[in-house]
């Protein structure tokens, strides 16, 4: 056989073999380190971002302000994140996901050590806004990193673990601050959270594997504008962004106000016990990490329906002036929220074939705008109509989730009919 013919046959045989997918998969090399590193990043992000939420009654008393004023310490942080998440995602496209995540955590934990020293509410709000802006480099970069480094079939599970880290951070931050503040005040409590976040940031940088599939993009404004425009013109993406915002509106409103409700009659709970209420975040850890199985069983839209129904049921149960019913309601609200968030955020990463960081950034921006709106409107509704007012805001948001999901289902069926025709 001529050498040229033999070589061509050999090349043909090689090209016929599918290229080996070197992305990470559960049980594979580096997957556990990566999962734990991003889990710690999620812990630090949510612990810092919502560090003042369980302390709002104490902050109100110290500065002599109403709940709606104190709630700005939460809204400023989530608002800062929402405003800066898109620019930070653009930096991650150019300089790498790990680099941006590391820099973001470094700045955020530094500000976190300054927050307890704030002499007034305006200074505290300003520092919280800066902290939120710094944390903006984490969420979108993390999901983009996972979309590039993890195989598609494992993506929902991997993002669910990152979201589970968010739930653990949110829970531990609130529980720790509650008990520490009861003994030594809210400033010491925030200092403790800052120190914990420093440890998480160091461990994250040491553990996270270097990216192997990142391809640097462009920082040209026109390229960024075109990418953002393409995502915003995609009906599926817009529905997912709206769903994330609405779920977070419920969550932000409920957990901003719940401390005020439980420290007042008929409950009159001490600050430490109120902080421990946030242990229900463990339910969110479970629901987020098992979101992949829920999608496998019900499909994406079915999982969103289930998450919305669970959240709405929890809101209704929480209306009772009975602590067991309130706790059960919080369990259902938390489980439904984290499941819905994990499904929606992973769907964005899966649907985006280009500009993944921008797609995730737009989702995160909508998500944290929902948090800012929920914490502010939820506090105003509580001031005007008590806990029932906050629940009404939450139920309207859940209705929005269900409506959008129904519209998505109808659009999918319409596409299927056209394909068949």
């Amino acid at each position: 056989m001529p050498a040229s013919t033999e070589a061509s046959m050999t090349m043909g045989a090689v090209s016929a073999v599918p290229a080996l997918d070197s992305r990470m998969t559960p049980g594979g090399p580096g997957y556990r380190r990566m999962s734990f590193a991003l889990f710690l990043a999620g812990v630090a992000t949510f612990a810092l971002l919502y560090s003042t939420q369980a302390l709002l009654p104490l902050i109100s008393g110290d500065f002599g302000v109403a709940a709606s004023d104190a709630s700005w310490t939460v809204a400023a942080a989530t608002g800062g994140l929402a405003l800066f998440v898109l620019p930070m995602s653009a930096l991650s496209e150019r300089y790498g996901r790990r680099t941006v995540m590391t820099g973001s955590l470094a700045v955020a934990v530094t500000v976190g050590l300054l927050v307890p020293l704030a002499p007034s509410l305006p200074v505290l709000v300003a520092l919280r806004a800066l902290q939120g802006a710094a944390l903006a480099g984490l969420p979108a970069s993390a999901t983009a990193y996972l979309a590039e480094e993890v195989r598609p079939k494992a993506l929902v599970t991997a993002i669910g673990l990152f979201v589970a880290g968010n739930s653990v951070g949110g829970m531990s931050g609130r529980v720790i601050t509650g008990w520490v503040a009861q003994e030594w005040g809210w400033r010491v409590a925030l200092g403790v959270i800052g120190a914990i976040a420093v440890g998480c940031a160091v461990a994250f940088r040491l553990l996270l594997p270097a990216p192997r599939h990142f391809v640097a993009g462009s920082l040209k404004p026109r390229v960024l504008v075109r990418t953002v425009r393409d995502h915003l013109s995609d009906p599926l993406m817009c529905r997912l962004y709206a769903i994330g915002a609405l779920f977070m509106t419920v969550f932000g409103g409920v957990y901003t106000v719940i401390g005020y409700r439980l420290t007042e009659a008929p409950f009159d709970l001490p600050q430490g016990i109120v902080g421990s209420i946030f242990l229900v975040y463990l339910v969110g850890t479970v629901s987020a990490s098992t979101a992949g199985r829920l999608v496998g069983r019900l499909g994406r839209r079915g999982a969103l329906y289930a998450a919305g129904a669970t959240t709405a049921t929890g809101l209704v149960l929480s209306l009772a002036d009975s602590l067991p019913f309130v706790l059960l309601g919080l369990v259902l609200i938390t489980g439904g929220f984290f499941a819905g968030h994990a499904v929606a955020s992973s769907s964005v990463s899966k649907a985006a074939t280009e500009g993944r960081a921008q797609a995730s950034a737009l989702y995160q921006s909508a998500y944290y705008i929902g948090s800012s709106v929920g914490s502010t409107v939820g506090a105003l509704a509580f001031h005007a109509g008590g806990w029932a007012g906050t629940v009404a805001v939450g139920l309207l948001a859940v209705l929005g989730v269900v409506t959008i999901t129904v519209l998505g289902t109808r659009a999918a069926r319409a596409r299927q009919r056209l394909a068949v025709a």
Side-chain angles (χ1 to χ4, degrees), residues 26 71 136 165 200 206 243 246 256 281 288 301 317 341 343:
S71 70
C200 289
L206 293 175
I243 286 171
L246 290 168
T256 294
Y281 265 48
R301 286 183 289 273
L317 286 175
H341 169 42
V343 172

Side-chain angles (χ1 to χ4, degrees), residues 89-97 214 216-219:
S89 73
L91 290 177
S92 81
E93 290 280 10
R94 180 67 182 86
Y95 297 108
R97 320 301 185 193
F214 170 73
S218 174
L219 272 178

Side-chain angles (χ1 to χ4, degrees), residues 215-238:
V215 178
S218 174
L219 272 178
K220 295 179 180 178
R222 60 182 178 83
V223 175
L224 178 61
V225 170
R226 184 175 66 247
T227 302
V228 170
R229 185 182 64 239
D230 289 344
H231 289 318
L232 291 178
S233 63
D234 186 330
L236 172 59
M237 289 294 195
C238 288

Side-chain angles (χ1 to χ4, degrees), residues 2-21:
S4 60
T5 304
E6 184 177 356
S8 63
M9 290 179 65
T10 301
M11 291 176 65
V14 171
S15 62
V17 178
L20 181 64
D21 191 342

Side-chain angles (χ1 to χ4, degrees), residues 308-355:
T310 302
T311 304
T313 303
L315 286 167
V316 173
L317 286 175
S318 72
L319 288 168
D321 286 335
S322 166
L323 190 57
F325 276 94
V326 172
L327 292 177
L328 178 58
L330 290 177
V331 165
L332 295 176
I333 292 167
T334 304
F337 161 73
F338 275 106
H341 169 42
V343 172
S345 60
S346 61
S347 297
V348 168
S349 297
K350 187 174 181 180
T353 55
E354 295 181 358

